[in-house]
Coordinates of all heavy atoms in Angstrom, one line a residue:
M1 N 130.9 103.0 128.1 CA 130.0 102.4 127.2 C 130.6 102.4 125.8 O 131.5 103.1 125.5 CB 128.6 103.1 127.2 CG 128.6 104.5 126.5 SD 127.0 105.3 126.3 CE 126.4 104.5 124.8
S2 N 130.0 101.6 124.9 CA 130.5 101.6 123.5 C 129.3 101.2 122.6 O 128.3 100.8 123.0 CB 131.6 100.6 123.4 OG 131.1 99.3 123.6
L3 N 129.6 101.6 121.3 CA 128.6 101.3 120.3 C 129.3 100.4 119.3 O 130.5 100.5 119.0 CB 128.2 102.6 119.7 CG 127.4 103.6 120.5 CD1 127.4 105.0 119.9 CD2 126.0 103.2 120.8
S4 N 128.5 99.6 118.6 CA 129.1 98.8 117.5 C 128.2 98.8 116.3 O 127.0 98.9 116.4 CB 129.5 97.4 118.0 OG 128.5 96.8 118.6
C5 N 128.9 98.8 115.2 CA 128.2 98.8 113.9 C 128.3 97.5 113.3 O 129.5 97.1 113.0 CB 128.7 99.9 113.0 SG 128.0 99.9 111.4
A6 N 127.2 96.8 113.0 CA 127.3 95.5 112.5 C 127.7 95.5 111.0 O 128.2 94.6 110.5 CB 125.9 94.8 112.6
R7 N 127.4 96.6 110.3 CA 127.7 96.7 108.9 C 129.2 96.8 108.6 O 129.7 96.1 107.8 CB 126.9 97.8 108.2 CG 126.8 97.6 106.7 CD 126.2 98.9 106.0 NE 127.1 100.0 106.3 CZ 128.1 100.3 105.5 NH1 128.5 99.6 104.5 NH2 128.9 101.4 105.8
C8 N 129.8 97.8 109.3 CA 131.3 97.9 109.0 C 132.1 97.3 110.0 O 133.4 97.3 109.8 CB 131.6 99.4 108.8 SG 131.4 100.4 110.3
G9 N 131.5 96.7 111.0 CA 132.3 95.9 112.0 C 133.1 96.8 113.0 O 133.9 96.3 113.7
H10 N 132.8 98.1 113.0 CA 133.5 99.0 114.0 C 132.9 98.9 115.3 O 131.7 98.8 115.5 CB 133.5 100.4 113.5 CG 134.5 100.7 112.4 ND1 135.8 100.7 112.7 CD2 134.3 101.1 111.1 CE1 136.4 101.0 111.5 NE2 135.6 101.2 110.6
H11 N 133.8 98.9 116.3 CA 133.4 98.9 117.7 C 133.9 100.3 118.2 O 135.1 100.6 118.1 CB 134.1 97.8 118.4 CG 133.6 97.6 119.8 ND1 132.4 97.2 120.1 CD2 134.2 97.9 121.0 CE1 132.2 97.1 121.4 NE2 133.3 97.5 122.0
I12 N 133.0 101.1 118.7 CA 133.3 102.5 119.0 C 133.2 102.8 120.5 O 132.1 102.7 121.0 CB 132.4 103.5 118.2 CG1 132.3 103.1 116.7 CG2 132.8 104.9 118.4 CD1 131.1 103.7 116.1
P13 N 134.3 103.1 121.1 CA 134.3 103.5 122.5 C 133.6 104.8 122.6 O 133.9 105.7 121.8 CB 135.7 103.5 123.0 CG 136.5 103.8 121.7 CD 135.7 103.2 120.6
V14 N 132.8 105.0 123.6 CA 132.1 106.3 123.8 C 132.5 106.8 125.1 O 132.2 106.2 126.2 CB 130.6 106.1 123.7 CG1 129.9 107.5 124.0 CG2 130.2 105.6 122.3
R15 N 133.2 108.0 125.1 CA 133.6 108.6 126.3 C 133.2 110.1 126.3 O 133.4 110.7 125.3 CB 135.1 108.6 126.5 CG 135.7 107.2 126.8 CD 137.2 107.3 127.0 NE 137.9 107.9 125.8 CZ 138.4 107.1 124.9 NH1 138.2 105.8 124.9 NH2 139.0 107.6 123.8
G16 N 132.6 110.6 127.3 CA 132.2 112.0 127.4 C 131.0 112.3 126.5 O 130.7 113.5 126.3
L17 N 130.3 111.3 126.0 CA 129.2 111.6 125.2 C 127.9 110.9 125.7 O 127.1 110.5 124.9 CB 129.5 111.1 123.7 CG 130.6 111.9 123.0 CD1 131.0 111.1 121.8 CD2 130.2 113.3 122.8
E18 N 127.9 110.7 127.0 CA 126.8 109.9 127.6 C 125.5 110.8 127.7 O 124.4 110.2 127.7 CB 127.2 109.4 129.0 CG 128.2 108.2 128.9 CD 129.6 108.6 128.7 OE1 129.9 109.9 128.7 OE2 130.5 107.8 128.5
T19 N 125.7 112.1 127.7 CA 124.4 112.9 127.9 C 123.9 113.4 126.5 O 124.7 113.5 125.6 CB 124.7 114.1 128.8 OG1 125.7 115.0 128.1 CG2 125.3 113.7 130.1
A20 N 122.6 113.6 126.5 CA 122.0 114.1 125.3 C 122.6 115.5 124.9 O 122.7 115.8 123.7 CB 120.5 114.3 125.5
E21 N 123.0 116.2 125.9 CA 123.5 117.6 125.7 C 124.9 117.4 124.9 O 125.1 118.1 123.9 CB 123.8 118.2 127.0 CG 123.7 119.7 127.0 CD 123.9 120.3 128.3 OE1 124.1 119.6 129.3 OE2 123.9 121.6 128.4
A22 N 125.8 116.6 125.4 CA 127.1 116.4 124.8 C 126.9 115.8 123.4 O 127.6 116.2 122.5 CB 127.9 115.5 125.6
R23 N 125.9 115.0 123.2 CA 125.7 114.4 121.9 C 125.2 115.4 120.9 O 125.6 115.4 119.7 CB 124.7 113.2 122.0 CG 125.3 112.1 122.7 CD 124.4 110.9 123.0 NE 125.1 109.8 123.5 CZ 124.6 108.6 123.5 NH1 123.4 108.3 123.1 NH2 125.3 107.6 124.1
A24 N 124.3 116.3 121.4 CA 123.8 117.3 120.5 C 124.9 118.3 120.1 O 125.0 118.8 119.0 CB 122.6 118.0 121.2
Q25 N 125.8 118.6 121.1 CA 126.9 119.5 120.8 C 127.8 118.9 119.7 O 128.2 119.5 118.8 CB 127.7 119.7 122.1 CG 128.7 120.8 122.0 CD 129.5 121.0 123.3 OE1 129.3 120.2 124.3 NE2 130.5 121.9 123.3
L26 N 128.1 117.6 119.9 CA 129.0 116.9 118.9 C 128.3 116.9 117.5 O 128.9 117.1 116.5 CB 129.4 115.5 119.3 CG 130.2 114.8 118.3 CD1 131.6 115.4 118.3 CD2 130.3 113.3 118.6
G27 N 127.0 116.5 117.5 CA 126.2 116.4 116.3 C 126.2 117.8 115.6 O 126.5 117.8 114.4
G28 N 126.0 118.8 116.3 CA 126.1 120.2 115.7 C 127.4 120.5 115.1 O 127.6 121.0 114.0
A29 N 128.5 120.2 115.9 CA 129.9 120.4 115.5 C 130.2 119.6 114.2 O 130.8 120.1 113.3 CB 130.8 120.1 116.6
A30 N 129.7 118.4 114.2 CA 130.0 117.5 113.1 C 129.4 118.0 111.8 O 130.0 117.8 110.7 CB 129.5 116.1 113.4
R31 N 128.2 118.6 111.9 CA 127.5 119.0 110.7 C 128.2 120.3 110.2 O 128.1 120.7 109.0 CB 126.0 119.2 110.9 CG 125.4 117.9 111.0 CD 123.9 117.9 111.5 NE 123.6 116.5 111.8 CZ 123.4 116.1 113.1 NH1 123.5 116.9 114.1 NH2 123.1 114.8 113.3
E32 N 128.9 121.0 111.0 CA 129.6 122.2 110.6 C 130.9 121.9 110.0 O 131.3 122.3 109.0 CB 129.8 123.2 111.8 CG 128.8 124.3 111.8 CD 128.9 125.1 113.1 OE1 130.0 125.5 113.5 OE2 127.9 125.4 113.7
S33 N 131.7 121.1 110.8 CA 133.0 120.7 110.3 C 133.4 119.4 111.0 O 133.6 119.3 112.2 CB 134.0 121.8 110.7 OG 135.3 121.2 110.6
R34 N 133.5 118.4 110.2 CA 133.8 117.0 110.8 C 135.2 117.1 111.3 O 135.5 116.5 112.3 CB 133.7 116.0 109.7 CG 132.3 115.8 109.3 CD 132.0 114.6 108.4 NE 130.6 114.3 108.5 CZ 130.0 113.1 108.4 NH1 130.8 112.0 108.3 NH2 128.8 112.9 108.5
V35 N 136.1 117.8 110.6 CA 137.5 117.8 111.1 C 137.6 118.5 112.5 O 138.2 118.0 113.4 CB 138.4 118.6 110.1 CG1 139.8 118.9 110.6 CG2 138.4 117.9 108.8
R36 N 136.8 119.6 112.6 CA 136.8 120.2 114.0 C 136.2 119.4 115.0 O 136.6 119.4 116.2 CB 136.2 121.6 113.9 CG 137.2 122.7 114.2 CD 136.7 124.1 114.1 NE 136.2 124.3 112.7 CZ 135.2 125.2 112.4 NH1 134.6 125.9 113.4 NH2 134.8 125.4 111.2
A37 N 135.1 118.7 114.7 CA 134.4 117.8 115.6 C 135.4 116.7 116.1 O 135.4 116.4 117.3 CB 133.2 117.2 115.0
I38 N 136.2 116.2 115.2 CA 137.1 115.1 115.6 C 138.2 115.7 116.5 O 138.5 115.1 117.5 CB 137.8 114.5 114.3 CG1 136.7 113.7 113.5 CG2 139.0 113.6 114.7 CD1 137.2 113.3 112.1
Q39 N 138.7 116.9 116.2 CA 139.7 117.6 117.0 C 139.1 117.8 118.4 O 139.8 117.7 119.4 CB 140.1 118.9 116.4 CG 141.0 118.7 115.2 CD 141.2 120.0 114.4 OE1 140.5 121.0 114.6 NE2 142.2 120.0 113.5
W40 N 137.8 118.1 118.5 CA 137.2 118.4 119.8 C 137.2 117.1 120.6 O 137.4 117.1 121.8 CB 135.8 118.9 119.5 CG 135.0 119.2 120.8 CD1 135.0 120.3 121.5 CD2 134.0 118.4 121.4 NE1 134.1 120.3 122.5 CE2 133.5 119.1 122.5 CE3 133.5 117.1 121.1 CZ2 132.5 118.5 123.3 CZ3 132.5 116.6 121.9 CH2 132.0 117.3 123.0
L41 N 136.9 116.0 119.9 CA 136.8 114.7 120.6 C 138.2 114.3 121.1 O 138.4 113.8 122.2 CB 136.4 113.6 119.7 CG 134.9 113.5 119.4 CD1 134.6 112.5 118.3 CD2 134.1 113.2 120.6
V42 N 139.2 114.6 120.3 CA 140.6 114.2 120.6 C 141.0 115.1 121.8 O 141.6 114.6 122.8 CB 141.5 114.4 119.4 CG1 143.0 114.3 119.8 CG2 141.2 113.4 118.3
A43 N 140.8 116.4 121.7 CA 141.3 117.3 122.8 C 140.5 117.2 124.1 O 141.1 117.2 125.2 CB 141.1 118.8 122.3
N44 N 139.2 116.9 124.0 CA 138.4 116.9 125.2 C 138.2 115.6 125.9 O 138.0 115.5 127.0 CB 137.0 117.6 125.0 CG 137.2 119.1 124.7 OD1 137.4 119.9 125.7 ND2 137.1 119.5 123.5
H45 N 138.2 114.6 125.0 CA 137.8 113.3 125.6 C 138.8 112.2 125.3 O 138.5 111.0 125.5 CB 136.4 112.8 125.0 CG 135.3 113.8 125.5 ND1 135.0 114.0 126.8 CD2 134.5 114.6 124.7 CE1 134.0 114.9 126.9 NE2 133.7 115.3 125.6
G46 N 140.0 112.6 124.8 CA 141.0 111.6 124.6 C 140.8 110.5 123.5 O 141.3 109.4 123.6
Y47 N 140.0 110.8 122.5 CA 139.8 109.9 121.4 C 141.0 109.9 120.6 O 141.7 110.8 120.5 CB 138.6 110.4 120.6 CG 137.3 110.0 121.1 CD1 136.7 110.8 122.2 CD2 136.5 108.9 120.6 CE1 135.5 110.5 122.7 CE2 135.3 108.6 121.2 CZ 134.8 109.4 122.2 OH 133.6 109.1 122.7
D48 N 141.2 108.7 119.9 CA 142.2 108.8 118.8 C 141.5 109.2 117.5 O 140.2 109.1 117.4 CB 143.1 107.6 118.7 CG 142.3 106.3 118.3 OD1 141.4 106.4 117.5 OD2 142.7 105.3 118.9
I49 N 142.2 109.6 116.5 CA 141.6 110.2 115.4 C 140.8 109.2 114.6 O 139.7 109.5 114.1 CB 142.7 110.9 114.5 CG1 143.2 112.1 115.2 CG2 142.2 111.2 113.1 CD1 144.3 112.9 114.5
T50 N 141.2 107.9 114.6 CA 140.5 106.9 113.9 C 139.1 106.7 114.5 O 138.1 106.6 113.8 CB 141.3 105.6 114.0 OG1 142.6 105.8 113.6 CG2 140.7 104.5 113.1
D51 N 139.0 106.6 115.8 CA 137.7 106.5 116.5 C 136.8 107.7 116.2 O 135.6 107.5 116.0 CB 137.9 106.3 118.0 CG 138.4 104.9 118.3 OD1 138.3 104.0 117.5 OD2 138.8 104.7 119.5
G52 N 137.5 108.8 116.2 CA 136.7 110.1 115.9 C 136.1 110.0 114.5 O 134.9 110.3 114.3
K53 N 136.9 109.5 113.5 CA 136.4 109.4 112.2 C 135.3 108.4 112.1 O 134.3 108.6 111.3 CB 137.5 109.0 111.2 CG 138.4 110.1 110.8 CD 139.4 109.6 109.8 CE 140.5 110.7 109.5 NZ 141.7 110.2 109.0
V54 N 135.4 107.3 112.8 CA 134.3 106.3 112.7 C 133.0 106.9 113.3 O 132.0 106.7 112.7 CB 134.7 105.1 113.5 CG1 133.6 104.1 113.7 CG2 135.9 104.4 112.8
I55 N 133.1 107.7 114.4 CA 131.9 108.3 114.9 C 131.3 109.2 113.9 O 130.1 109.2 113.6 CB 132.2 109.0 116.2 CG1 132.5 107.9 117.3 CG2 131.0 109.9 116.6 CD1 132.8 108.5 118.7
M56 N 132.1 110.0 113.2 CA 131.6 111.0 112.2 C 130.9 110.2 111.1 O 129.9 110.7 110.6 CB 132.8 111.8 111.6 CG 133.4 112.8 112.5 SD 132.3 113.9 113.3 CE 132.6 113.6 115.0
N57 N 131.4 109.1 110.7 CA 130.8 108.3 109.6 C 129.4 107.8 110.0 O 128.7 107.4 109.1 CB 131.7 107.2 109.2 CG 132.9 107.6 108.5 OD1 132.9 108.8 108.0 ND2 133.9 106.8 108.5
H58 N 129.1 107.8 111.2 CA 127.8 107.2 111.6 C 126.8 108.3 112.1 O 125.6 107.9 112.5 CB 128.0 106.2 112.7 CG 128.7 105.0 112.2 ND1 130.1 104.9 112.1 CD2 128.3 103.8 111.7 CE1 130.5 103.8 111.6 NE2 129.4 103.1 111.3
I59 N 127.2 109.5 112.1 CA 126.3 110.6 112.5 C 125.4 111.0 111.3 O 125.9 111.1 110.2 CB 127.0 111.8 113.1 CG1 127.6 111.4 114.4 CG2 126.1 113.0 113.2 CD1 128.4 112.5 115.1
T60 N 124.1 111.1 111.5 CA 123.3 111.5 110.4 C 123.6 112.9 109.8 O 124.2 113.7 110.5 CB 121.8 111.6 110.8 OG1 121.7 112.4 112.0 CG2 121.3 110.2 111.2
G61 N 123.4 113.1 108.5 CA 123.7 114.4 107.9 C 123.0 115.6 108.5 O 123.4 116.7 108.4
E62 N 121.8 115.3 109.0 CA 121.0 116.4 109.6 C 120.4 115.8 110.9 O 120.0 114.6 110.9 CB 119.8 116.7 108.7 CG 120.2 117.8 107.7 CD 119.0 118.0 106.7 OE1 117.9 118.2 107.2 OE2 119.2 117.8 105.5
A63 N 120.2 116.6 111.9 CA 119.5 116.2 113.0 C 118.0 115.9 112.6 O 117.5 116.7 111.8 CB 119.5 117.2 114.1
M64 N 117.5 114.8 113.0 CA 116.2 114.5 112.5 C 115.1 114.6 113.6 O 115.4 114.1 114.7 CB 116.2 113.1 112.0 CG 117.1 113.0 110.8 SD 117.2 111.3 110.1 CE 118.6 111.5 109.1
S65 N 114.0 115.2 113.3 CA 113.0 115.2 114.2 C 111.9 114.3 113.7 O 111.7 114.3 112.4 CB 112.5 116.6 114.5 OG 112.2 117.2 113.3
G66 N 111.2 113.6 114.5 CA 110.1 112.8 114.0 C 110.7 111.5 113.3 O 111.4 110.8 114.0
E67 N 110.5 111.4 112.1 CA 110.9 110.2 111.4 C 112.4 110.2 111.1 O 113.0 111.1 110.5 CB 110.2 110.1 110.1 CG 110.3 108.7 109.5 CD 109.1 108.2 108.7 OE1 108.1 107.9 109.4 OE2 109.1 108.2 107.5
R68 N 113.1 109.2 111.6 CA 114.5 109.1 111.5 C 114.8 108.2 110.3 O 114.2 107.1 110.1 CB 115.0 108.5 112.8 CG 116.5 108.7 113.0 CD 116.8 108.3 114.4 NE 116.6 109.4 115.4 CZ 116.0 109.3 116.5 NH1 115.5 108.1 116.9 NH2 115.9 110.3 117.3
Q69 N 115.8 108.5 109.5 CA 116.1 107.8 108.3 C 117.5 107.3 108.3 O 118.4 108.0 108.8 CB 115.9 108.7 107.1 CG 115.2 108.0 105.9 CD 115.1 108.9 104.7 OE1 115.5 110.1 104.8 NE2 114.7 108.4 103.7
C70 N 117.8 106.1 107.8 CA 119.1 105.6 107.7 C 119.9 106.3 106.7 O 119.4 106.5 105.5 CB 119.1 104.1 107.4 SG 120.7 103.4 107.1
Y71 N 121.1 106.8 107.0 CA 121.9 107.6 106.0 C 122.5 106.7 104.9 O 122.9 107.2 103.9 CB 123.1 108.3 106.8 CG 123.9 107.4 107.5 CD1 124.9 106.7 106.9 CD2 123.7 107.1 108.9 CE1 125.7 105.7 107.6 CE2 124.4 106.2 109.6 CZ 125.4 105.5 108.9 OH 126.1 104.6 109.6
K72 N 122.4 105.5 105.2 CA 123.0 104.5 104.2 C 122.0 104.0 103.2 O 122.2 104.1 102.0 CB 123.6 103.3 105.0 CG 124.7 102.6 104.3 CD 126.0 103.3 104.5 CE 127.0 102.9 103.4 NZ 128.2 103.7 103.5
C73 N 120.9 103.5 103.7 CA 120.0 102.8 102.7 C 118.7 103.6 102.7 O 117.8 103.2 101.8 CB 119.8 101.4 103.1 SG 118.8 101.2 104.6
G74 N 118.5 104.6 103.5 CA 117.2 105.3 103.4 C 116.0 104.7 104.1 O 114.9 105.3 104.0
S75 N 116.2 103.6 104.8 CA 115.1 103.1 105.6 C 114.6 104.0 106.6 O 115.4 104.8 107.2 CB 115.6 101.8 106.3 OG 115.8 100.8 105.4
T76 N 113.4 104.0 106.8 CA 112.8 104.9 107.9 C 112.5 104.1 109.1 O 112.8 102.8 109.1 CB 111.5 105.5 107.4 OG1 110.7 104.5 106.9 CG2 111.8 106.5 106.3
D77 N 112.1 104.7 110.2 CA 111.8 104.0 111.4 C 113.0 103.5 112.1 O 113.0 102.4 112.6 CB 110.8 102.8 111.2 CG 109.4 103.2 111.7 OD1 109.3 104.2 112.4 OD2 108.5 102.4 111.3
I78 N 114.1 104.3 112.1 CA 115.3 103.9 112.7 C 115.4 104.5 114.1 O 114.9 105.6 114.4 CB 116.5 104.5 111.9 CG1 116.4 104.2 110.5 CG2 117.8 104.1 112.5 CD1 116.7 102.7 110.2
E79 N 115.9 103.7 115.0 CA 116.1 104.2 116.4 C 117.5 104.7 116.6 O 118.5 104.1 116.0 CB 115.8 103.1 117.4 CG 114.3 102.8 117.6 CD 114.1 101.8 118.6 OE1 114.4 102.0 119.8 OE2 113.7 100.7 118.2
D80 N 117.7 105.7 117.3 CA 119.0 106.3 117.6 C 119.9 105.3 118.3 O 119.5 104.7 119.3 CB 118.8 107.6 118.4 CG 120.2 108.2 118.8 OD1 121.1 108.2 117.9 OD2 120.3 108.7 119.9
G81 N 121.1 105.1 117.7 CA 122.1 104.3 118.4 C 121.8 102.8 118.2 O 122.4 101.9 118.8
V82 N 120.9 102.5 117.3 CA 120.5 101.1 117.1 C 120.8 100.8 115.6 O 120.5 101.6 114.8 CB 119.0 100.9 117.5 CG1 118.6 99.5 117.1 CG2 118.8 101.1 118.9
P83 N 121.3 99.6 115.3 CA 121.5 99.3 113.9 C 120.3 99.3 113.1 O 119.2 98.9 113.5 CB 122.1 97.9 113.9 CG 122.7 97.7 115.3 CD 121.8 98.5 116.2
C84 N 120.4 99.8 111.8 CA 119.3 99.8 110.9 C 118.8 98.3 110.6 O 119.6 97.5 110.4 CB 119.8 100.4 109.6 SG 118.7 100.3 108.2
P85 N 117.5 98.1 110.6 CA 117.0 96.7 110.4 C 117.3 96.2 109.0 O 117.4 95.0 108.7 CB 115.5 96.8 110.6 CG 115.2 98.2 110.7 CD 116.4 99.0 111.0
Q86 N 117.5 97.2 108.0 CA 117.7 96.8 106.6 C 119.2 96.5 106.4 O 119.6 95.4 105.9 CB 117.3 97.9 105.7 CG 115.8 98.1 105.5 CD 115.1 96.9 104.9 OE1 115.7 96.3 104.0 NE2 113.9 96.6 105.3
C87 N 120.1 97.5 106.6 CA 121.5 97.3 106.2 C 122.4 97.2 107.4 O 123.6 97.0 107.2 CB 121.9 98.5 105.4 SG 122.0 100.1 106.3
R88 N 121.9 97.2 108.6 CA 122.6 97.0 109.8 C 123.6 98.1 110.2 O 124.5 97.9 111.0 CB 123.3 95.6 109.8 CG 122.3 94.5 109.8 CD 122.8 93.2 109.3 NE 123.9 92.7 110.2 CZ 125.0 92.1 109.8 NH1 125.2 91.9 108.6 NH2 125.9 91.7 110.7
S89 N 123.5 99.2 109.5 CA 124.4 100.3 109.9 C 123.9 100.9 111.2 O 122.7 101.1 111.5 CB 124.3 101.5 108.8 OG 124.8 101.1 107.6
L90 N 124.9 101.3 112.0 CA 124.6 102.0 113.2 C 124.2 103.5 112.8 O 125.0 104.1 112.1 CB 125.8 102.0 114.1 CG 125.7 102.8 115.4 CD1 124.7 102.1 116.4 CD2 127.1 102.9 116.1
V91 N 123.1 104.0 113.3 CA 122.7 105.4 113.0 C 122.8 106.2 114.3 O 122.1 105.9 115.3 CB 121.3 105.4 112.4 CG1 120.8 106.8 112.1 CG2 121.2 104.5 111.2
L92 N 123.6 107.2 114.3 CA 123.7 108.1 115.4 C 123.1 109.4 115.0 O 123.6 110.2 114.3 CB 125.2 108.4 115.8 CG 126.0 107.1 116.2 CD1 127.4 107.5 116.4 CD2 125.4 106.4 117.4
D93 N 121.9 109.6 115.6 CA 121.2 110.9 115.3 C 121.4 111.9 116.4 O 120.6 112.1 117.3 CB 119.7 110.6 115.2 CG 118.9 111.8 114.8 OD1 119.5 112.7 114.2 OD2 117.7 111.8 115.1
W94 N 122.6 112.4 116.5 CA 123.1 113.3 117.6 C 123.0 114.7 117.3 O 122.9 115.1 116.1 CB 124.5 112.9 118.0 CG 124.6 111.5 118.7 CD1 123.5 110.7 119.0 CD2 125.7 110.8 119.1 NE1 124.0 109.5 119.5 CE2 125.3 109.6 119.6 CE3 127.1 111.2 119.1 CZ2 126.2 108.7 120.2 CZ3 128.0 110.3 119.6 CH2 127.6 109.0 120.1
Ligands
ZN101 ZN1 129.3 101.3 110.3
ZN102 ZN1 120.0 101.3 106.6

């Protein structure tokens, strides 16, 4: 599977992150250290560093419960993995 962001035009291959568990693990790692989270993707799932960085750029700064907000424009009512209706950024709330 893959995700794409209409705002920045990135197309992101997703490998090894199909489950909610793996996504939560990556989200937690990303909020602690983006560099380490990228290394984890490279070592465990064969990502290249560029794709890893792109994923990091789309993960929300905090895991959100209830109301989800776009990290880019602040719009609310965002769905996970779906582009923001305002600015078209892909929002990964992992
Ligand atoms: Zn983007
Ligand atoms: Zn937005």
Side-chain angles (χ1 to χ4, degrees):
M1 72 173 278
S2 64
L3 295 164
S4 47
C5 176
R7 200 189 60 85
C8 64
H10 280 295
H11 188 71
I12 310 161
V14 176
R15 289 185 298 272
L17 297 169
E18 285 80 6
T19 64
E21 210 181 358
R23 291 175 173 198
Q25 193 185 356
L26 179 70
R31 286 170 195 109
E32 261 173 46
S33 162
R34 293 191 162 213
V35 173
R36 242 177 302 152
I38 293 168
Q39 287 168 347
W40 181 83
L41 285 173
V42 171
N44 291 282
H45 298 300
Y47 280 77
D48 63 38
I49 289 177
T50 309
D51 286 344
K53 280 185 187 158
V54 171
I55 290 182
M56 292 304 122
N57 288 341
H58 293 85
I59 290 182
T60 54
E62 273 174 55
M64 297 179 193
S65 49
E67 193 147 287
R68 198 169 275 134
Q69 222 182 354
C70 175
Y71 56 84
K72 203 83 203 170
C73 71
S75 291
T76 51
D77 252 348
I78 305 291
E79 283 181 68
D80 179 37
V82 173
C84 169
Q86 288 292 327
C87 70
R88 296 161 62 218
S89 291
L90 178 68
V91 178
L92 300 177
D93 184 26
W94 289 357

